[in-house]
Amino acid sequence: MRTDTVDTFLHTLAARTPAPGGGASAALQAAQAAALIEMVARYSDGPRYAEHAAAVGAVREAAERHRELALSLAEEDAAAFAEVGAAYGLPRATGEERAARSRAIGAALVGAGRVPAALVAVCAQLVGLAEELLPVGNRNVVSDIATAADAAGAAASSARVNVEINLGGITDAAARAELTEGIATVDDLTARAEKVTAAVRELILR
């Protein structure tokens, strides 16, 4: 994914193959949100913004870290989905094989659920960075803060769905609780993202 062109990735995404899919797409959307936050931070530099230089610099550095993390999660999502497919393909001719296959599927589904759950946490950080940057960022690119917030919120919502679809096949109570907790903040997160966009629209439509 890191070396694909956009066109190549989209053709791969459109193909009748199990991965990459929605989870990887959500992670790439979060990476774009992070990149937009970085861009706004870089446009919010210089003497005019000296009063908030430390805060803007911290936002930029955090966004860069989260862009890299989101990109890694996109790749991890594809790999985790491949493991789920491999588990479902295990032999099941005997009782022992069926039991081993069931365990492998359960473990693979937990792994596949943990990736989008981790993405929700990344998205929460990105929305927080958008909230921090909005009051002090360059007003000429303020619409990109809204775009970033919207992208992070949408990525979190998509990640939640990708956790939930894996939950259906997980019987381990501790794993289910862990994953359910990991997506519990999504409604609040998307509401915060919407508030950022509303604030931006209020600024530009005055």
Side-chain angles (χ1 to χ4, degrees):
M1 273 182 217
R2 291 171 186 267
T3 57
D4 279 351
T5 64
V6 172
D7 186 61
T8 299
F9 172 75
L10 291 176
H11 274 86
T12 305
L13 188 64
R16 188 172 174 172
T17 53
S25 295
L28 288 177
Q29 191 170 25
Q32 290 179 80
L36 284 167
I37 291 169
E38 288 181 71
M39 184 192 76
V40 174
R42 289 189 169 92
Y43 271 111
S44 306
D45 196 10
R48 182 179 174 185
Y49 305 97
E51 180 183 356
H52 305 290
V56 170
V59 166
R60 185 189 67 248
E61 291 172 4
E64 185 175 0
R65 290 194 303 271
H66 285 91
R67 172 166 54 88
E68 177 62 28
L69 180 52
L71 183 56
S72 296
L73 288 172
E75 294 172 328
E76 288 177 27
D77 186 86
F81 201 87
E83 289 187 18
V84 172
Y88 274 105
L90 290 173
R92 47 181 172 175
T94 67
E96 185 176 330
E97 286 179 344
R98 286 192 292 273
R101 178 177 177 272
S102 180
R103 288 193 297 271
I105 290 172
L109 289 174
V110 171
R114 282 176 173 153
V115 178
L119 181 60
V120 170
V122 170
C123 292
Q125 293 296 316
L126 292 174
V127 171
L129 293 175
E131 291 169 333
E132 289 181 46
L133 192 55
L134 178 58
V136 297
N138 187 329
R139 287 293 180 265
N140 293 323
V141 286
V142 71
S143 62
D144 292 296
I145 299 178
T147 304
D150 282 342
S157 183
S158 297
R160 174 171 59 185
V161 172
N162 281 276
V163 171
E164 290 170 339
I165 196 168
N166 288 299
L167 280 174
I170 297 171
T171 57
D172 181 86
R176 286 182 63 85
E178 171 197 335
L179 294 175
T180 300
E181 182 179 356
I183 59 175
T185 61
V186 171
D187 284 337
D188 177 65
L189 194 163
T190 55
R192 287 167 54 202
E194 289 171 2
K195 286 181 180 178
V196 171
T197 298
V200 168
R201 294 187 70 233
E202 184 177 348
L203 281 172
I204 63 180
L205 294 175
R206 283 177 181 171

